[in-house]
């Protein structure tokens, strides 16, 4: 299901790219990387009051993978023409618009340790999202003032930063794992599998929306004496959710419904498939 959804998104953006072929410097690409994420506020959701005397409740990040496609519109003054030429005004352009869609694994982990009774449990929120959004990136370096500066700036003209917005559809809103251990775990307690089922009925993942902060570098190489955009980029992104990520239903656990925000860190590599759209 995940693979089918990813390929559907890939072909959708392929069609977009070909339909927009009249615009020069348009391109399609793929990107992949690693994800580290957490959902804020879950400690208050689970334990809204200090019911225990000697305990700790820690939030930890979960880690996963990221796979996506993107479509660049390079008609907004970007320095990413195939050959970077100081005498070519196209190579001095600085803005890039990017639409993207991706699959990513995100979530959060809570670990409670009741030191007084030696009872412990772990709850893992292991969500999957299909997301779509857009970014606006700015390339920082412009034309230098002499040959030495030009050479240095050409090498680093791929440096960029930007802002974006995206919406993520939770495809596994019930994906929660519960495990418990310790001498204080009494026989009257339900099994972990039954407790897990009950918690899944109470806590439901939701569609999220938020903003991305972006820092990246398009790798520049030298080919036959010219500075060439290699088509490979490295990017770090931080996503801040602006919408509650988890809904709490009525329950016997004293779980409360409060604000839970996704925070996601991504490190990715992108490959720009220039030849999919011929320049005019």
């Amino acid at each position: 299901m995940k693979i089918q959804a990813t390929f559907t998104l890939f072909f959708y953006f392929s069609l977009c790219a070909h339909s927009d072929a009249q615009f020069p410097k348009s391109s399609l690409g793929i990107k992949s990387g690693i994800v580290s994420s957490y959902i804020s506020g879950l400690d208050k959701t689970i334990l809204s009051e200090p019911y225990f005397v000697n305990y700790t409740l820690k939030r930890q990040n979960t880690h996963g993978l990221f796979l996506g496609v993107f479509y660049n519109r390079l008609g907004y003054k970007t320095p990413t023409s195939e050959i970077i030429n100081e005498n070519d005004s196209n190579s001095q352009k600085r803005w890039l618009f990017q639409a993207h869609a991706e699959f990513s694994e995100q979530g959060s982990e809570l670990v409670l340790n009741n030191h007084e009774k030696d009872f412990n449990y772990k709850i893992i929120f292991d969500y999957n999202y299909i997301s779509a959004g857009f970014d606006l990136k700015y390339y920082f370096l412009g034309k230098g003032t002499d040959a030495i500066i030009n050479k240095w700036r050409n090498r680093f003209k791929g440096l960029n930063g930007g802002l974006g917005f995206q919406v993520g559809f939770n495809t596994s809103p019930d994906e929660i794992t519960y495990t418990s251990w310790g001498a204080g775990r009494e026989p009257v307690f339900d099994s972990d599998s039954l407790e897990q089922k009950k918690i899944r009925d109470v806590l439901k993942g939701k569609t999220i929306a938020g903003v991305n902060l972006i820092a990246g570098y398009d790798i520049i190489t030298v080919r036959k004496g010219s500075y060439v955009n290699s088509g490979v980029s490295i990017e770090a992104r931080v996503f801040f959710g602006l919408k509650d990520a988890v809904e709490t239903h009525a329950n016997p656990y004293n779980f409360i419904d409060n604000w839970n925000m996704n925070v996601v860190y991504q490190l990715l590599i992108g490959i720009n498939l220039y030849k999919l759209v011929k320049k005019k």
Side-chain angles (χ1 to χ4, degrees):
M1 178 65 183
K2 298 174 185 176
I3 296 175
Q4 290 177 345
T6 301
F7 276 105
T8 299
L9 293 169
F10 182 90
F11 285 117
Y12 169 76
F13 275 88
S14 297
L15 291 174
C16 289
H18 285 285
S19 67
D20 202 25
Q22 69 270 25
F23 292 100
K25 300 180 177 64
S26 296
S27 60
L28 184 73
I30 57 175
K31 54 185 177 178
S32 183
I34 56 176
V35 178
S36 180
S37 62
Y38 69 86
I39 303 174
S40 69
L42 286 176
D43 52 343
K44 292 294 184 182
T45 299
I46 300 298
L47 202 63
S48 58
E49 298 181 22
Y51 297 107
F52 309 114
V53 176
N54 183 16
Y55 75 97
T56 57
L57 180 58
K58 296 180 180 179
R59 182 196 68 210
Q60 299 177 352
N61 287 23
T62 60
H63 308 286
L65 298 176
F66 167 95
L67 177 65
V69 295
F70 61 86
Y71 173 62
N72 285 341
R73 176 79 172 275
L74 304 178
Y76 294 91
K77 292 188 177 296
T78 69
T80 52
S81 57
E82 186 171 339
I83 303 295
I84 297 177
N85 183 345
E86 289 296 336
N87 297 316
D88 180 5
S89 61
N90 285 333
S91 70
Q92 302 306 310
K93 297 177 179 180
R94 294 195 176 196
W95 291 98
L96 179 147
F97 174 82
Q98 182 181 98
H100 55 89
E102 58 256 355
F103 164 80
S104 65
E105 298 172 325
Q106 303 174 24
S108 200
E109 183 176 304
L110 289 176
V111 179
L112 182 138
N113 302 111
N114 186 337
H115 304 292
E116 181 183 12
K117 296 184 178 181
D118 188 21
F119 174 67
N120 316 275
Y121 66 73
K122 177 190 296 185
I123 302 177
I124 300 175
F125 298 78
D126 192 16
Y127 294 143
N128 298 318
Y129 292 90
I130 297 291
S131 302
F134 60 88
D135 304 326
L136 186 63
K137 300 180 182 180
Y138 180 77
Y139 287 76
F140 300 112
L141 297 180
K143 192 170 184 178
T145 57
D146 57 46
I148 295 176
I149 293 178
N150 285 346
K151 182 177 180 180
W152 179 86
R153 291 197 176 193
N154 278 336
R155 279 289 191 182
F156 292 94
K157 275 187 175 179
L159 288 172
N160 64 84
L163 293 172
F165 178 82
Q166 75 179 49
V167 176
F169 302 94
N170 193 328
T171 62
S172 56
D174 302 326
E175 196 62 39
I176 296 175
T177 303
Y178 172 88
T179 53
S180 64
W181 67 95
R185 191 183 186 287
E186 299 178 6
V188 295
F189 292 174
D190 289 329
S191 66
D192 284 358
S193 59
L194 183 56
E195 286 293 341
Q196 177 175 284
K197 182 180 183 304
K198 292 179 179 178
I199 293 173
R200 288 181 173 184
D201 291 337
V202 172
L203 301 175
K204 299 289 186 180
K206 301 167 61 178
T207 296
I208 60 174
V211 296
N212 285 309
L213 300 181
I214 305 159
Y217 174 63
D218 295 353
I219 297 175
I220 306 298
T221 61
V222 178
R223 188 182 305 161
K224 296 181 179 179
S226 297
Y227 292 89
V228 180
N229 191 315
S230 68
V232 178
S233 60
I234 302 171
E235 194 169 271
R237 305 166 69 92
V238 184
F239 172 84
F240 296 98
L242 301 177
K243 187 176 180 294
D244 187 20
V246 180
E247 181 179 8
T248 306
H249 294 177
N251 64 90
Y253 300 108
N254 294 317
F255 293 174
I256 65 170
D257 194 17
N258 68 323
W259 178 266
N260 306 118
M261 181 182 76
N262 283 58
V263 178
V264 184
Y265 304 95
Q266 295 177 335
L267 182 63
L268 59 94
I269 294 177
I271 300 176
N272 209 331
L273 306 176
Y274 289 99
K275 300 306 180 183
L276 289 181
V277 180
K278 294 182 180 180
K279 299 177 184 179
K280 292 188 177 181

